[in-house]
Amino acid sequence: MATEQGTADELARTLRDAILRLNRRVRQTRAVGELTFSQLSALTSLQLAGALTPRELADVERVQPPTMTKIVGKLEERGLVVRTPHPTDGRQVILAPTEQGREMYAQFEKVRNEWLAEQLAGLSDSERDVLLRAAQIMQQVARA
Amino acid sequence: MATEQGTADELARTLRDAILRLNRRVRQTRAVGELTFSQLSALTSLQLAGALTPRELADVERVQPPTMTKIVGKLEERGLVVRTPHPTDGRQVILAPTEQGREMYAQFEKVRNEWLAEQLAGLSDSERDVLLRAAQIMQQVARA
DNA sequence: CACGATTCTTAGCTTAGCTAATAAGCTTGG
DNA sequence: CCAAGCTTATTAGCTAAGCTAAGAATCGTG
């Protein structure tokens, strides 16, 4: 429909701009030594799932397998994740957070969240509600 | 307030996740030869403003000056932007889109928008409304 | 059991972003 | 009026994120 398409076009522009800028802004809040955005996201997914293969994790994170190899490599270097052989399938590998990974996760995640949470705390209830609903819609769109 | 802080924390997590994934997803829609996300955004800002110095453009884009030097370099290579000396201040440079830049902008922008616009067109009016309002709030937060 | 498919990794590339350092030009205080 | 200090832009050099192509190992199946 012409109207809906027009609105959708406009909205797409605005939304792209908004997520580009907010992404940049949030990334800037990372202190040296902290986990990056992508590393933290991968670790989060592993925490939630308990354990995943690289392929599964790549799918969840919407990234190609070689990209995930790199990200997991960084996490492994820091002792936050372990690779163990798959019990029956020799090709596969099981990725799981270590005890240290679980511990560090909580604190890193908190620090990483701080700046944005502060900004959001300064908004009104209804603004936060809009953001929450929008976030859910965006996650759903990203899955498509 | 405890409640607001709690909600803000939760929301911050969800929102970070949503923009990370949507950003990745949208970036994936780029065909080879097209302008990147960042290049397109810089070109857009130049179009809107007419002309800007690198410093001004970097500020608008929320990026450090050397980063902008690179992005503008790519645009200049492709003949989409010109650098001209500042009339009175010898240190500064004026960046402006070329005629070709203005022409290509429209078409690239359209293509780049397509995938997301399609997804958004499939949503309901009220969902689009939520996203629009959220985008405005996010832009405002990103400015902080 | 050989061949095709799957899984993971390696290699090699581009882009995005940063800080530190440089070069040039501007501005101002003595 | 000029030296000292600020501002602007760029360069150099780094890390990280992402991709594709290609490899090695393993699995499953005809």
Side-chain angles (χ1 to χ4, degrees):
Chain A
M1 222 164 293
T3 328
E4 255 128 32
Q5 193 52 58
T7 341
D9 273 352
E10 276 288 322
L11 177 55
R13 265 175 263 275
T14 310
L15 192 55
R16 273 197 299 130
D17 184 80
I19 64 178
L20 173 72
R21 287 192 159 65
L22 188 54
N23 230 340
R24 277 180 182 159
R25 189 65 187 78
V26 170
R27 277 173 198 274
Q28 282 174 3
T29 65
R30 183 173 76 94
V32 294
E34 268 176 40
L35 295 174
T36 66
F37 225 42
S38 295
Q39 290 166 13
L40 194 51
S41 180
L43 187 52
T44 304
S45 293
L46 276 184
Q47 298 268 61
L48 292 179
L52 293 170
T53 67
R55 154 68 66 184
E56 289 168 336
L57 184 52
D59 286 347
V60 170
E61 290 292 308
R62 293 223 143 258
V63 139
Q64 294 302 308
T67 301
M68 194 43 73
T69 297
K70 275 198 200 173
I71 294 174
V72 169
K74 299 274 164 56
L75 293 172
E76 204 184 14
E77 272 173 25
R78 302 179 65 155
L80 306 179
V81 158
V82 275
R83 295 183 219 240
T84 54
H86 191 286
T88 66
D89 189 335
R91 295 166 303 181
Q92 297 187 52
V93 166
I94 307 286
L95 304 173
T98 61
E99 185 48 40
Q100 198 193 353
R102 277 184 289 271
E103 281 166 21
M104 286 183 99
Y105 166 75
Q107 73 189 76
F108 271 133
E109 223 279 341
K110 189 172 180 314
V111 172
R112 205 74 170 78
N113 223 37
E114 247 163 35
W115 178 85
L116 185 56
E118 266 170 39
Q119 309 304 312
L120 299 178
L123 300 177
S124 70
D125 280 350
S126 70
E127 283 173 324
R128 276 196 297 273
D129 186 55
V130 166
L131 288 179
L132 179 59
R133 288 196 286 155
Q136 288 159 351
I137 299 170
M138 289 191 285
Q139 285 169 333
Q140 174 196 323
V141 169
R143 243 175 270 128
Chain B
M1 219 166 290
T3 328
E4 256 128 33
Q5 194 53 58
T7 340
D9 274 351
E10 275 288 322
L11 177 55
R13 264 176 265 277
T14 309
L15 192 57
R16 273 197 299 132
D17 184 78
I19 63 177
L20 173 71
R21 287 191 159 67
L22 188 55
N23 230 340
R24 277 181 181 157
R25 189 66 186 79
V26 170
R27 275 174 200 274
Q28 282 174 5
T29 65
R30 182 174 74 95
V32 294
E34 269 176 40
L35 295 174
T36 66
F37 225 41
S38 295
Q39 290 165 13
L40 194 51
S41 181
L43 187 51
T44 303
S45 293
L46 276 184
Q47 298 269 63
L48 292 179
L52 292 171
T53 67
R55 154 69 66 185
E56 288 168 336
L57 185 53
D59 285 348
V60 170
E61 291 292 308
R62 294 222 142 259
V63 139
Q64 293 302 308
T67 300
M68 194 43 73
T69 297
K70 276 196 199 174
I71 294 175
V72 168
K74 299 275 163 56
L75 293 173
E76 203 184 16
E77 272 173 27
R78 302 180 64 155
L80 307 178
V81 158
V82 276
R83 294 183 218 238
T84 53
H86 191 285
T88 64
D89 189 336
R91 294 166 303 179
Q92 296 186 51
V93 165
I94 306 287
L95 303 174
T98 61
E99 186 47 39
Q100 197 192 354
R102 276 184 289 271
E103 281 166 20
M104 287 184 99
Y105 166 76
Q107 72 189 75
F108 271 134
E109 223 279 342
K110 189 173 180 313
V111 172
R112 205 76 171 78
N113 225 35
E114 247 162 35
W115 178 84
L116 185 56
E118 265 170 38
Q119 308 305 313
L120 299 178
L123 299 177
S124 70
D125 281 351
S126 70
E127 283 172 323
R128 275 195 297 273
D129 185 56
V130 166
L131 287 180
L132 179 60
R133 288 195 286 153
Q136 288 159 351
I137 300 170
M138 287 190 286
Q139 285 169 333
Q140 173 197 324
V141 169
R143 242 174 270 129

